[in-house]
Short mmCIF file of all heavy atoms in Angstrom, two decimals:
data_model
loop_
_atom_site.label_atom_id
_atom_site.label_comp_id
_atom_site.label_asym_id
_atom_site.label_seq_id
_atom_site.Cartn_x
_atom_site.Cartn_y
_atom_site.Cartn_z
N MET A 1 -35.74 41.18 -77.96
CA MET A 1 -35.46 41.65 -76.61
C MET A 1 -34.00 41.38 -76.26
O MET A 1 -33.35 40.55 -76.87
CB MET A 1 -36.33 40.92 -75.59
CG MET A 1 -37.81 41.18 -75.70
SD MET A 1 -38.72 40.35 -74.37
CE MET A 1 -38.36 38.63 -74.71
N LYS A 2 -33.54 42.10 -75.23
CA LYS A 2 -32.26 41.74 -74.62
C LYS A 2 -32.58 41.01 -73.32
O LYS A 2 -33.24 41.54 -72.44
CB LYS A 2 -31.41 42.98 -74.33
CG LYS A 2 -30.07 42.62 -73.68
CD LYS A 2 -29.25 43.85 -73.31
CE LYS A 2 -28.58 44.43 -74.53
NZ LYS A 2 -27.60 45.51 -74.14
N VAL A 3 -32.10 39.76 -73.22
CA VAL A 3 -32.39 38.91 -72.08
C VAL A 3 -31.10 38.54 -71.38
O VAL A 3 -30.14 38.09 -72.03
CB VAL A 3 -33.12 37.62 -72.52
CG1 VAL A 3 -33.50 36.78 -71.30
CG2 VAL A 3 -34.36 37.95 -73.34
N LEU A 4 -31.06 38.72 -70.08
CA LEU A 4 -29.93 38.27 -69.28
C LEU A 4 -30.25 36.88 -68.73
O LEU A 4 -31.31 36.70 -68.11
CB LEU A 4 -29.64 39.25 -68.15
CG LEU A 4 -28.37 38.99 -67.32
CD1 LEU A 4 -27.81 40.30 -66.78
CD2 LEU A 4 -28.62 38.04 -66.16
N VAL A 5 -29.38 35.92 -68.99
CA VAL A 5 -29.57 34.54 -68.53
C VAL A 5 -28.43 34.18 -67.59
O VAL A 5 -27.26 34.16 -68.02
CB VAL A 5 -29.63 33.54 -69.70
CG1 VAL A 5 -29.73 32.10 -69.19
CG2 VAL A 5 -30.79 33.87 -70.64
N THR A 6 -28.71 33.93 -66.32
CA THR A 6 -27.66 33.48 -65.41
C THR A 6 -27.61 31.95 -65.43
O THR A 6 -28.59 31.28 -65.71
CB THR A 6 -27.90 33.96 -63.97
OG1 THR A 6 -29.00 33.23 -63.39
CG2 THR A 6 -28.20 35.46 -63.93
N GLY A 7 -26.42 31.41 -65.14
CA GLY A 7 -26.23 29.97 -65.28
C GLY A 7 -26.17 29.59 -66.75
O GLY A 7 -26.60 28.50 -67.15
N SER A 8 -25.58 30.47 -67.56
CA SER A 8 -25.63 30.32 -69.02
C SER A 8 -24.76 29.19 -69.55
O SER A 8 -24.92 28.78 -70.70
CB SER A 8 -25.20 31.63 -69.67
OG SER A 8 -23.97 32.08 -69.13
N ALA A 9 -23.82 28.68 -68.72
CA ALA A 9 -23.04 27.52 -69.13
C ALA A 9 -23.63 26.23 -68.58
O ALA A 9 -23.10 25.15 -68.80
CB ALA A 9 -21.59 27.66 -68.68
N GLY A 10 -24.74 26.36 -67.86
CA GLY A 10 -25.39 25.19 -67.29
C GLY A 10 -26.27 24.47 -68.29
O GLY A 10 -26.45 24.93 -69.44
N PHE A 11 -26.82 23.36 -67.88
CA PHE A 11 -27.64 22.51 -68.74
C PHE A 11 -28.83 23.28 -69.31
O PHE A 11 -28.99 23.43 -70.53
CB PHE A 11 -28.09 21.30 -67.92
CG PHE A 11 -29.02 20.35 -68.61
CD1 PHE A 11 -29.00 20.17 -69.98
CD2 PHE A 11 -29.93 19.60 -67.86
CE1 PHE A 11 -29.87 19.28 -70.61
CE2 PHE A 11 -30.79 18.71 -68.47
CZ PHE A 11 -30.77 18.55 -69.85
N ILE A 12 -29.66 23.82 -68.43
CA ILE A 12 -30.86 24.52 -68.89
C ILE A 12 -30.50 25.89 -69.45
O ILE A 12 -31.03 26.32 -70.47
CB ILE A 12 -31.89 24.66 -67.74
CG1 ILE A 12 -32.30 23.27 -67.22
CG2 ILE A 12 -33.13 25.42 -68.22
CD1 ILE A 12 -33.21 23.31 -66.01
N GLY A 13 -29.58 26.59 -68.79
CA GLY A 13 -29.22 27.93 -69.24
C GLY A 13 -28.66 27.97 -70.65
O GLY A 13 -29.00 28.86 -71.44
N SER A 14 -27.81 27.02 -70.98
CA SER A 14 -27.25 26.96 -72.32
C SER A 14 -28.32 26.67 -73.36
O SER A 14 -28.39 27.31 -74.42
CB SER A 14 -26.16 25.89 -72.38
OG SER A 14 -25.70 25.70 -73.69
N ALA A 15 -29.17 25.69 -73.06
CA ALA A 15 -30.23 25.32 -74.01
C ALA A 15 -31.22 26.46 -74.19
O ALA A 15 -31.69 26.72 -75.31
CB ALA A 15 -30.94 24.06 -73.52
N LEU A 16 -31.56 27.16 -73.10
CA LEU A 16 -32.48 28.28 -73.20
C LEU A 16 -31.85 29.42 -74.01
O LEU A 16 -32.53 30.03 -74.86
CB LEU A 16 -32.85 28.79 -71.81
CG LEU A 16 -33.73 30.05 -71.81
CD1 LEU A 16 -35.10 29.76 -72.43
CD2 LEU A 16 -33.88 30.62 -70.41
N SER A 17 -30.58 29.70 -73.78
CA SER A 17 -29.91 30.76 -74.54
C SER A 17 -29.97 30.48 -76.03
O SER A 17 -30.24 31.38 -76.84
CB SER A 17 -28.45 30.89 -74.08
OG SER A 17 -28.37 31.31 -72.73
N LEU A 18 -29.75 29.23 -76.42
CA LEU A 18 -29.82 28.86 -77.83
C LEU A 18 -31.22 29.08 -78.39
O LEU A 18 -31.38 29.55 -79.53
CB LEU A 18 -29.39 27.41 -78.02
CG LEU A 18 -27.90 27.11 -77.88
CD1 LEU A 18 -27.65 25.61 -77.86
CD2 LEU A 18 -27.10 27.77 -79.02
N ARG A 19 -32.22 28.74 -77.61
CA ARG A 19 -33.61 28.93 -78.08
C ARG A 19 -33.92 30.42 -78.25
O ARG A 19 -34.55 30.82 -79.23
CB ARG A 19 -34.59 28.29 -77.10
CG ARG A 19 -36.04 28.41 -77.53
CD ARG A 19 -36.96 27.62 -76.63
NE ARG A 19 -36.84 26.20 -76.88
CZ ARG A 19 -37.56 25.52 -77.76
NH1 ARG A 19 -38.45 26.14 -78.51
NH2 ARG A 19 -37.41 24.22 -77.90
N LEU A 20 -33.50 31.24 -77.30
CA LEU A 20 -33.76 32.67 -77.39
C LEU A 20 -33.01 33.30 -78.56
O LEU A 20 -33.54 34.15 -79.27
CB LEU A 20 -33.36 33.36 -76.08
CG LEU A 20 -34.16 32.95 -74.84
CD1 LEU A 20 -33.59 33.63 -73.60
CD2 LEU A 20 -35.64 33.27 -74.99
N LEU A 21 -31.76 32.87 -78.76
CA LEU A 21 -30.99 33.36 -79.90
C LEU A 21 -31.62 32.97 -81.22
O LEU A 21 -31.68 33.76 -82.17
CB LEU A 21 -29.55 32.83 -79.81
CG LEU A 21 -28.69 33.41 -78.69
CD1 LEU A 21 -27.46 32.54 -78.46
CD2 LEU A 21 -28.28 34.85 -79.00
N ALA A 22 -32.13 31.75 -81.28
CA ALA A 22 -32.74 31.25 -82.52
C ALA A 22 -33.98 32.04 -82.90
O ALA A 22 -34.31 32.17 -84.09
CB ALA A 22 -33.08 29.77 -82.38
N ARG A 23 -34.67 32.59 -81.90
CA ARG A 23 -35.88 33.36 -82.22
C ARG A 23 -35.58 34.85 -82.42
O ARG A 23 -36.49 35.64 -82.66
CB ARG A 23 -36.93 33.16 -81.14
CG ARG A 23 -36.70 33.91 -79.85
CD ARG A 23 -37.82 33.67 -78.86
NE ARG A 23 -37.80 34.65 -77.78
CZ ARG A 23 -38.70 34.71 -76.80
NH1 ARG A 23 -39.68 33.81 -76.77
NH2 ARG A 23 -38.63 35.64 -75.88
N GLY A 24 -34.30 35.24 -82.27
CA GLY A 24 -33.91 36.61 -82.59
C GLY A 24 -33.57 37.50 -81.42
O GLY A 24 -33.25 38.68 -81.61
N ASP A 25 -33.62 36.98 -80.20
CA ASP A 25 -33.29 37.80 -79.04
C ASP A 25 -31.79 38.01 -78.93
O ASP A 25 -30.99 37.23 -79.45
CB ASP A 25 -33.79 37.14 -77.75
CG ASP A 25 -35.31 37.12 -77.65
OD1 ASP A 25 -35.95 37.99 -78.26
OD2 ASP A 25 -35.85 36.23 -76.97
N GLU A 26 -31.41 39.04 -78.18
CA GLU A 26 -30.03 39.26 -77.79
C GLU A 26 -29.87 38.70 -76.39
O GLU A 26 -30.72 38.96 -75.53
CB GLU A 26 -29.70 40.75 -77.82
CG GLU A 26 -28.27 41.08 -77.47
CD GLU A 26 -27.99 42.58 -77.55
OE1 GLU A 26 -28.87 43.32 -78.03
OE2 GLU A 26 -26.91 43.00 -77.09
N VAL A 27 -28.81 37.94 -76.15
CA VAL A 27 -28.64 37.28 -74.85
C VAL A 27 -27.31 37.67 -74.23
O VAL A 27 -26.27 37.64 -74.88
CB VAL A 27 -28.71 35.74 -74.99
CG1 VAL A 27 -28.45 35.06 -73.64
CG2 VAL A 27 -30.07 35.31 -75.55
N VAL A 28 -27.38 38.05 -72.95
CA VAL A 28 -26.19 38.27 -72.14
C VAL A 28 -26.15 37.14 -71.11
O VAL A 28 -27.08 36.99 -70.32
CB VAL A 28 -26.21 39.63 -71.43
CG1 VAL A 28 -24.98 39.79 -70.53
CG2 VAL A 28 -26.30 40.76 -72.43
N GLY A 29 -25.11 36.32 -71.16
CA GLY A 29 -25.00 35.18 -70.25
C GLY A 29 -24.08 35.49 -69.08
O GLY A 29 -23.08 36.19 -69.23
N ILE A 30 -24.44 34.95 -67.92
CA ILE A 30 -23.61 35.07 -66.72
C ILE A 30 -23.38 33.68 -66.16
O ILE A 30 -24.33 32.92 -65.93
CB ILE A 30 -24.27 35.96 -65.65
CG1 ILE A 30 -24.21 37.44 -66.07
CG2 ILE A 30 -23.61 35.77 -64.29
CD1 ILE A 30 -24.85 38.39 -65.08
N ASP A 31 -22.11 33.34 -65.94
CA ASP A 31 -21.77 32.06 -65.33
C ASP A 31 -20.38 32.18 -64.72
O ASP A 31 -19.51 32.85 -65.28
CB ASP A 31 -21.81 30.92 -66.35
CG ASP A 31 -22.04 29.57 -65.72
OD1 ASP A 31 -21.14 29.09 -64.98
OD2 ASP A 31 -23.11 28.99 -65.93
N ASN A 32 -20.16 31.53 -63.57
CA ASN A 32 -18.82 31.58 -62.95
C ASN A 32 -17.98 30.35 -63.29
O ASN A 32 -16.84 30.23 -62.83
CB ASN A 32 -18.93 31.75 -61.44
CG ASN A 32 -19.54 30.53 -60.73
OD1 ASN A 32 -20.02 29.60 -61.39
ND2 ASN A 32 -19.53 30.55 -59.41
N LEU A 33 -18.56 29.41 -64.07
CA LEU A 33 -17.84 28.20 -64.50
C LEU A 33 -17.19 27.48 -63.31
O LEU A 33 -16.03 27.08 -63.36
CB LEU A 33 -16.77 28.56 -65.54
CG LEU A 33 -17.29 29.04 -66.90
CD1 LEU A 33 -16.14 29.51 -67.78
CD2 LEU A 33 -18.07 27.95 -67.60
N ASN A 34 -17.97 27.29 -62.26
CA ASN A 34 -17.39 26.59 -61.10
C ASN A 34 -17.20 25.10 -61.40
O ASN A 34 -17.65 24.59 -62.42
CB ASN A 34 -18.26 26.80 -59.84
CG ASN A 34 -19.62 26.12 -59.93
OD1 ASN A 34 -19.78 25.09 -60.57
ND2 ASN A 34 -20.61 26.69 -59.28
N ASP A 35 -16.50 24.42 -60.50
CA ASP A 35 -16.13 23.02 -60.76
C ASP A 35 -17.01 22.03 -60.00
O ASP A 35 -16.56 20.94 -59.66
CB ASP A 35 -14.66 22.80 -60.41
CG ASP A 35 -14.33 23.09 -58.95
OD1 ASP A 35 -15.26 23.51 -58.20
OD2 ASP A 35 -13.18 22.91 -58.55
N TYR A 36 -18.27 22.39 -59.77
CA TYR A 36 -19.20 21.43 -59.15
C TYR A 36 -19.27 20.15 -59.97
O TYR A 36 -19.38 19.05 -59.45
CB TYR A 36 -20.58 22.07 -59.01
CG TYR A 36 -21.66 21.13 -58.51
CD1 TYR A 36 -21.60 20.59 -57.22
CD2 TYR A 36 -22.72 20.77 -59.32
CE1 TYR A 36 -22.59 19.73 -56.77
CE2 TYR A 36 -23.71 19.92 -58.87
CZ TYR A 36 -23.63 19.40 -57.59
OH TYR A 36 -24.62 18.54 -57.14
N TYR A 37 -19.20 20.28 -61.29
CA TYR A 37 -18.97 19.14 -62.19
C TYR A 37 -18.06 19.61 -63.31
O TYR A 37 -17.66 20.78 -63.35
CB TYR A 37 -20.28 18.52 -62.71
CG TYR A 37 -21.18 19.43 -63.50
CD1 TYR A 37 -20.95 19.70 -64.84
CD2 TYR A 37 -22.30 20.01 -62.90
CE1 TYR A 37 -21.79 20.51 -65.57
CE2 TYR A 37 -23.14 20.84 -63.62
CZ TYR A 37 -22.89 21.08 -64.95
OH TYR A 37 -23.72 21.90 -65.67
N GLU A 38 -17.72 18.74 -64.22
CA GLU A 38 -16.65 18.98 -65.18
C GLU A 38 -16.81 20.30 -65.96
O GLU A 38 -17.82 20.52 -66.64
CB GLU A 38 -16.53 17.81 -66.16
CG GLU A 38 -17.80 17.48 -66.92
CD GLU A 38 -17.70 16.15 -67.66
OE1 GLU A 38 -17.69 15.10 -66.98
OE2 GLU A 38 -17.64 16.17 -68.90
N VAL A 39 -15.80 21.16 -65.83
CA VAL A 39 -15.83 22.47 -66.47
C VAL A 39 -15.77 22.34 -67.98
O VAL A 39 -16.34 23.16 -68.72
CB VAL A 39 -14.67 23.34 -65.95
CG1 VAL A 39 -14.62 24.68 -66.68
CG2 VAL A 39 -14.80 23.56 -64.44
N GLU A 40 -15.12 21.30 -68.48
CA GLU A 40 -15.01 21.10 -69.92
C GLU A 40 -16.39 21.01 -70.59
O GLU A 40 -16.58 21.52 -71.71
CB GLU A 40 -14.20 19.85 -70.24
CG GLU A 40 -12.74 19.92 -69.83
CD GLU A 40 -12.53 19.66 -68.34
OE1 GLU A 40 -13.51 19.29 -67.64
OE2 GLU A 40 -11.39 19.83 -67.88
N LEU A 41 -17.33 20.36 -69.92
CA LEU A 41 -18.67 20.25 -70.47
C LEU A 41 -19.34 21.62 -70.53
O LEU A 41 -20.02 21.96 -71.51
CB LEU A 41 -19.51 19.28 -69.63
CG LEU A 41 -20.97 19.09 -70.05
CD1 LEU A 41 -21.08 18.60 -71.50
CD2 LEU A 41 -21.68 18.11 -69.11
N LYS A 42 -19.15 22.42 -69.49
CA LYS A 42 -19.71 23.78 -69.49
C LYS A 42 -19.12 24.61 -70.61
O LYS A 42 -19.82 25.36 -71.30
CB LYS A 42 -19.46 24.44 -68.14
CG LYS A 42 -20.12 23.74 -66.96
CD LYS A 42 -19.83 24.45 -65.65
CE LYS A 42 -20.50 23.73 -64.48
NZ LYS A 42 -20.29 24.42 -63.19
N GLN A 43 -17.82 24.49 -70.81
CA GLN A 43 -17.17 25.24 -71.88
C GLN A 43 -17.65 24.79 -73.26
O GLN A 43 -17.80 25.62 -74.18
CB GLN A 43 -15.65 25.09 -71.76
CG GLN A 43 -15.07 25.77 -70.53
CD GLN A 43 -13.61 25.43 -70.30
OE1 GLN A 43 -13.15 24.34 -70.66
NE2 GLN A 43 -12.89 26.34 -69.67
N ALA A 44 -17.91 23.51 -73.40
CA ALA A 44 -18.43 22.99 -74.67
C ALA A 44 -19.84 23.52 -74.94
O ALA A 44 -20.20 23.82 -76.08
CB ALA A 44 -18.43 21.47 -74.66
N ARG A 45 -20.64 23.63 -73.87
CA ARG A 45 -21.97 24.21 -74.04
C ARG A 45 -21.85 25.67 -74.48
O ARG A 45 -22.56 26.13 -75.39
CB ARG A 45 -22.75 24.14 -72.73
CG ARG A 45 -23.12 22.74 -72.25
CD ARG A 45 -24.02 22.88 -71.04
NE ARG A 45 -24.28 21.63 -70.34
CZ ARG A 45 -24.06 21.45 -69.03
NH1 ARG A 45 -23.57 22.44 -68.30
NH2 ARG A 45 -24.33 20.30 -68.46
N LEU A 46 -20.96 26.40 -73.83
CA LEU A 46 -20.77 27.82 -74.15
C LEU A 46 -20.31 28.02 -75.59
O LEU A 46 -20.68 29.01 -76.24
CB LEU A 46 -19.74 28.45 -73.22
CG LEU A 46 -20.24 28.98 -71.88
CD1 LEU A 46 -19.08 29.57 -71.08
CD2 LEU A 46 -21.33 30.02 -72.08
N ALA A 47 -19.50 27.10 -76.09
CA ALA A 47 -19.00 27.23 -77.46
C ALA A 47 -20.14 27.32 -78.46
O ALA A 47 -20.02 27.97 -79.51
CB ALA A 47 -18.09 26.04 -77.79
#
């Protein structure tokens, strides 16, 4: 499937995207990378 995941750089969103990718889905992530907490951690998740 093609799945759109919002909050894709977030804690749950990043982990869910990896799970969906691992099972063969196509994932489109949406995130604004705001600075509510450290952006570096979000970028590391996205990597």
Side-chain angles (χ1 to χ4, degrees):
M1 295 184 297
K2 180 184 282 189
V3 184
L4 187 150
V5 176
T6 72
S8 51
F11 176 29
I12 300 175
S14 173
L16 175 65
S17 295
L18 287 170
R19 182 173 286 270
L20 296 176
L21 289 164
R23 76 178 196 177
D25 292 334
E26 182 179 351
V27 177
V28 177
I30 287 179
D31 204 292
N32 67 353
L33 292 174
N34 68 30
D35 60 358
Y36 174 65
Y37 60 81
E38 57 192 70
V39 176
E40 294 80 7
L41 178 58
K42 298 180 180 182
Q43 292 171 330
R45 293 186 189 126
L46 274 180

